[in-house]
Amino acid sequence: MTKRVHKPREVAEIVAIQALSFIAGDGERLGRFLAETGIGPETLRASASDPHFLAGVLDFVLRDDATVSAFSESTGHHPTTIAAARMALGDSLPERETP
């Protein structure tokens, strides 16, 4: 049986989706996230496929030590894994076009 090898960006996206699920699991945390991002609950699912959005999810988690600790505890990810995921997303983000 062959073990699937994940690329750093794939792993980063998985961690970010887990972080989004973690955020959505707490009403107060979700409210803060939605207020800070300006994203509405109706567009949350569609936004989850945007690498810029996923990077923002990890930024939100990493801004607060208590949030990092709670997310780490709930997923088993070491805080350095979360930071590495953010860096992997940042390193691979295409430049946004400016109007």
Side-chain angles (χ1 to χ4, degrees):
M1 177 180 216
T2 326
K3 184 176 179 182
R4 181 183 161 137
V5 177
H6 292 281
K7 296 177 183 175
R9 182 183 166 105
E10 290 174 340
V11 173
E13 289 176 354
I14 291 166
V15 172
I17 295 295
Q18 290 172 335
L20 181 57
S21 178
F22 168 77
I23 291 166
D26 178 90
E28 183 179 326
R29 191 177 291 129
L30 178 60
R32 243 183 13 257
F33 178 76
L34 294 175
E36 288 181 23
T37 61
I39 301 267
E42 65 283 351
T43 59
L44 196 57
R45 185 180 303 264
S47 298
S49 63
D50 178 354
H52 292 281
F53 176 77
L54 294 176
V57 169
L58 293 176
D59 286 339
F60 178 83
V61 170
L62 289 166
R63 262 198 311 258
D64 177 56
D65 288 341
T67 305
V68 171
S69 294
F71 178 59
S72 292
E73 187 176 310
S74 81
T75 61
H77 293 308
H78 192 274
T80 57
T81 301
I82 303 164
R86 174 57 185 97
M87 287 177 61
L89 284 176
D91 290 345
S92 61
L93 291 178
E95 290 296 318
R96 286 189 178 207
E97 292 183 21
T98 54

